[in-house]
Amino acid sequence: MDLTGKVALVTGASRGIGRAIALRLAAAGADVVVTATSQGAADATAAEVEKLGRKALAVKADVSAAAEVEALFGAVTETFGKVDILVNNAGITKDGLLVRMKEDDWDNVLDVNLKGMFLCTREAAKLMTKARFGRIVNISSVVGESGNAGQANYAASKAGMLGFTKSVARELAKRNVTVNAVTPGFIETDMTSVLPEKAREALLQQIPLERLGSAENIADAVCFLVSGRADYITGQVLAVNGGMHM
Ligand code: NAD
């Protein structure tokens, strides 16, 4: 899976799954734009990309803020003149049972996970349709497919990402831009490190492969979807969940 000459933008690439994706795409030959909510964190991943011999651009950007997303794509255009690959990975959780869920917890999760994806994809699509090439991957979640008690806001955002993926895949296909989603199961990152031991044990019982996934498992799936090996795949949802949801 050779990505030499491609420019990839990965949102929320300071740690966890986003960082693993940025490094996987760089290892496959891509130059990488790394975004995060703090400049220092984006710089750290960018330095690792450069260690792999690729160019990197680190940009502090909140994906839910339209002006920051526009500035981000302005910086990308100025530095690289194009973007071939967009991975909408930035995401947050604000869990709680429905009857106690605060309006802010609903709004924040929908703003980052769903609106953030919309804003980034809209900017990327302008460049990709002009270039008649683009590969977009949206990082949704198994929870968007199966639902999860205590995560109504998060599950709604992640299910929304799937409807968006399929609609935009239909819209952009004639310009050779593919749009797919990956639905990770439970992956070892900061997001899942907060799970209490009991919840973790209960979770493992639902996973046929009997282990949590790694960020690299997700990065491998993304690398495939943006590579030449997946040229005829669009509008699809690739589940990487150890068999947890079939
Ligand atoms: P994480 O919390 O370790 O990292 C999230 C990243 O998103 C960080 O880099 C953070 O800076 C960035 N981010 C948060 N808010 C942002 C904003 N407003 N603008 C830009 N960046 C922002 O999470 P992770 O576990 O690596 O998850 C990455 C993605 O994978 C998320 O979309 C998450 O929903 C999804 N996911 C994770 C799991 C899991 O088990 N860890 C499972 C399914 C899906």
Side-chain angles (χ1 to χ4, degrees), residues 4 30 52 60 90 101 129 138 143 147 171 184 189 201 207 240 244:
T4 306
L52 292 167
K60 174 184 178 298
M101 190 172 284
T129 52
N138 298 321
V143 163
E171 233 175 274
T189 67
E201 276 166 27
I207 305 174
V240 185
M244 185 180 180

Side-chain angles (χ1 to χ4, degrees), residues 41-90:
D43 287 342
T45 304
E48 291 183 83
V49 167
E50 282 168 352
K51 264 194 217 147
L52 292 167
R54 308 296 161 212
K55 288 189 200 123
L57 174 67
V59 183
K60 174 184 178 298
D62 175 351
V63 293
S64 66
E68 292 189 31
V69 171
E70 278 164 33
L72 162 66
F73 278 84
V76 174
T77 311
E78 201 171 292
T79 306
F80 292 112
K82 64 169 186 172
V83 61
D84 302 293
I85 296 162
L86 168 67
V87 183
N88 285 304
N89 166 79

Side-chain angles (χ1 to χ4, degrees), residues 62 64 92-94 101-116 152-154 156-157:
D62 175 351
S64 66
I92 59 167
T93 52
K94 294 225 166 161
M101 190 172 284
K102 296 191 183 74
E103 194 177 341
D104 269 356
D105 292 343
W106 174 270
D107 288 344
N108 290 343
V109 168
L110 272 285
D111 276 355
V112 175
N113 299 5
L114 199 52
K115 185 179 165 189
N153 50 357
Y154 182 73
S157 73

Side-chain angles (χ1 to χ4, degrees), residues 11-18 35-38 61-64 88-93 112-113 139-142 154 158 183-192:
T11 66
S14 61
R15 57 174 195 253
I17 293 171
T35 87
T37 42
S38 105
D62 175 351
V63 293
S64 66
N88 285 304
N89 166 79
I92 59 167
T93 52
V112 175
N113 299 5
I139 308 299
S140 171
S141 168
V142 64
Y154 182 73
K158 293 296 179 180
T183 48
F186 283 81
I187 308 298
E188 299 273 12
T189 67
D190 288 355
M191 196 177 262
T192 47

